[in-house]
Amino acid sequence: MTSSDLLLERKIGPVSVLDAAVAIGLALWAVGSAWSGYGVPVPFLLLATLPLAFRRVNPPAALVATAVGGVGLLLSGIHPLSNLAIATSAALALYTLFRPLPRAQAWGVTGTILAGLFILGILLLWRGRFELALTAVPMIAFCVGGVALLADLARARGEVKEVRQESVEQMIAAQREQAAMAERARIAREMHDIVAHSISRIAVEAETAPYTIKDLGEPAREGFEQIATTARETLVEMRRLLGVLRTDGGAGGTSPQPGLARVPELLEEHRKAGGTVDLDVIGDAVPLPAAVDLSAYRILQEALTNARSHAPDANVRIELAYLQDTLAIRVSDDGPGPSPNAGGHGLIGMRERVVMLGGWLNTGTAPEGGFLIEAGLPLTQVEAAA
């Protein structure tokens, strides 16, 4: 929020400080400019300027009061537009009224004001004030139309800005959705590789069992053969259904995906890029389900990538905690903290992986400053679902 916005927010009762100051300043200016003796209609001058303080609180009332002051000046034989303070006050009151109104309603009010000015001109002619009727009234009508046009242009510009902002928000939402879909496809490909690797092992072990186990009966041999056949058929169906997710056109392999065993390689890669990183393992490492192992690796990989991109000189600290039923991950740095424009497709990927496993993820500013990523990957739920 800028200093001008803060000034507008300050209130004296229902009136903003800025509006009150402008109204008082215009009133002093109007009286000082028109002062030429006791004949100056000071009440009309004040009525044409001071209500401007309430222009945001009640725009119609402020405009009516200003108009009454102007009409009073006309009937007193004074041209309101000859006083620049009165003209400024009237223009501000008109603009404040016109700006938030819908276009049709604003032009309807403009037409009503112009009709009133026409009646006023007739009244001045009837009273014999031909100069004011033929000069002041047309000039005021011209100014009213100009202010209405200016408000209409500002309204149109605001509408274009709103449409543009809405389009930008829709585009950002679409990009995030595309990023989420792409990450889901990547996760599906990786899960396909993990499951395919496991099923391939089942098939191979079932096929070799009759040759490695002595004195195996015929029913057991048939059972192992059936297991091998089912595994092969399952593998074929999996590749047929999920192989379309591959964007590189390859058929895909059955090699295992990376896991926490390759974390030292990530740390070394980060250090070679000029970063500083420390790893702290809490608890005794236990064998992890393949999906948890892969997701934990990907979360750490993305966290270090983000650190190199947004805080290359920051010190990164990684904590892995092997709890009873959860693998807790905490990655923090002492960098400048998250950027307001950080959309983070990587963060979207982290969240997709955590949601897939039924875990939780927190990202944002760390209590001690910098950026913080905390995730919990449940172990018991994955094992129960397997």
Side-chain angles (χ1 to χ4, degrees):
M1 183 176 290
T2 63
S3 57
S4 59
D5 293 330
L6 290 173
L7 183 59
L8 288 173
E9 288 296 327
R10 293 181 181 176
K11 303 287 185 178
I12 303 177
V15 180
S16 70
V17 173
L18 180 61
D19 289 340
V22 170
I24 295 173
L26 288 174
L28 294 175
W29 184 11
V31 173
S33 300
W35 190 266
S36 59
Y38 295 102
V40 176
V42 175
F44 288 128
L45 292 173
L46 297 179
L47 187 61
T49 52
L50 289 181
L52 202 66
F54 299 90
R55 66 188 182 94
R56 299 178 195 270
V57 179
N58 194 335
L63 178 60
V64 169
T66 303
V68 170
V71 171
L73 292 174
L74 277 174
L75 296 178
S76 300
I78 298 177
H79 192 331
L81 294 186
S82 63
N83 191 312
L84 188 57
I86 303 298
T88 302
S89 178
L92 284 175
L94 278 171
Y95 184 84
T96 304
L97 178 67
F98 288 156
R99 179 64 180 86
L101 293 178
R103 180 167 296 171
Q105 188 175 354
W107 283 110
V109 174
T110 302
T112 301
I113 295 175
L114 293 178
L117 288 173
F118 178 77
I119 296 174
L120 178 61
I122 298 298
L123 180 61
L124 289 173
L125 288 174
W126 179 67
R127 296 190 58 178
R129 298 185 179 277
F130 298 102
E131 182 179 356
L132 289 176
L134 298 178
T135 59
V137 173
M139 187 177 299
I140 294 174
F142 177 80
C143 292
V144 169
V147 172
L149 180 61
L150 181 63
D152 189 65
L153 292 175
R155 187 185 304 107
R157 182 179 179 182
E159 292 173 355
V160 170
K161 185 177 180 180
E162 290 178 0
V163 171
R164 185 179 302 170
Q165 181 65 26
E166 184 178 353
S167 299
V168 170
E169 292 176 356
Q170 291 177 351
M171 182 180 66
I172 293 175
Q175 290 177 345
R176 289 179 177 174
E177 182 63 24
Q178 290 177 356
M181 294 176 62
E183 189 61 29
R184 290 169 191 168
R186 180 186 178 190
I187 293 172
R189 291 195 300 269
E190 293 176 344
M191 292 301 102
H192 165 268
D193 292 344
I194 290 175
V195 176
H197 178 69
S198 300
I199 293 177
S200 297
R201 288 185 57 186
I202 292 173
V204 170
E205 291 179 4
E207 288 176 344
T208 58
Y211 303 100
T212 57
I213 301 177
K214 296 181 179 180
D215 301 328
L216 193 63
E218 188 61 27
R221 289 178 179 273
E222 292 178 358
F224 278 118
E225 182 179 349
Q226 184 62 37
I227 292 174
T229 301
T230 302
R232 294 297 182 190
E233 291 176 353
T234 302
L235 192 59
V236 170
E237 291 300 323
M238 256 187 48
R239 288 174 176 170
R240 183 178 301 166
L241 293 174
L242 300 180
V244 295
L245 293 173
R246 294 193 171 275
T247 57
D248 55 5
T254 58
S255 60
Q257 293 290 338
L260 292 182
R262 292 179 55 180
V263 168
E265 299 177 17
L266 285 180
L267 305 185
E268 185 62 25
E269 179 183 353
H270 186 77
R271 293 186 180 108
K272 286 183 178 179
T276 302
V277 58
D278 295 317
L279 174 64
D280 186 12
V281 179
I282 303 172
D284 297 328
V286 296
L288 300 175
V292 174
D293 199 20
L294 171 62
S295 295
Y297 175 86
R298 293 300 188 197
I299 290 173
L300 294 179
Q301 184 182 43
E302 187 60 41
L304 290 176
T305 301
N306 285 343
R308 288 195 295 272
S309 300
H310 303 293
D313 299 327
N315 298 314
V316 181
R317 180 177 180 81
I318 299 176
E319 296 179 12
L320 290 176
Y322 290 86
L323 306 179
Q324 183 176 0
D325 56 358
T326 303
L327 174 65
I329 301 173
R330 190 178 193 273
V331 183
S332 60
D333 63 56
D334 56 1
S339 170
N341 300 322
H345 290 174
L347 297 181
I348 294 176
M350 289 184 192
R351 196 168 299 280
E352 290 292 331
R353 292 181 181 277
V354 170
V355 169
M356 176 191 69
L357 297 174
W360 53 268
L361 176 71
N362 294 324
T363 61
T365 305
E368 62 276 10
F371 194 67
L372 173 65
I373 297 173
E374 292 180 317
L377 305 180
L379 306 181
T380 54
Q381 182 176 348
V382 173
E383 292 173 357

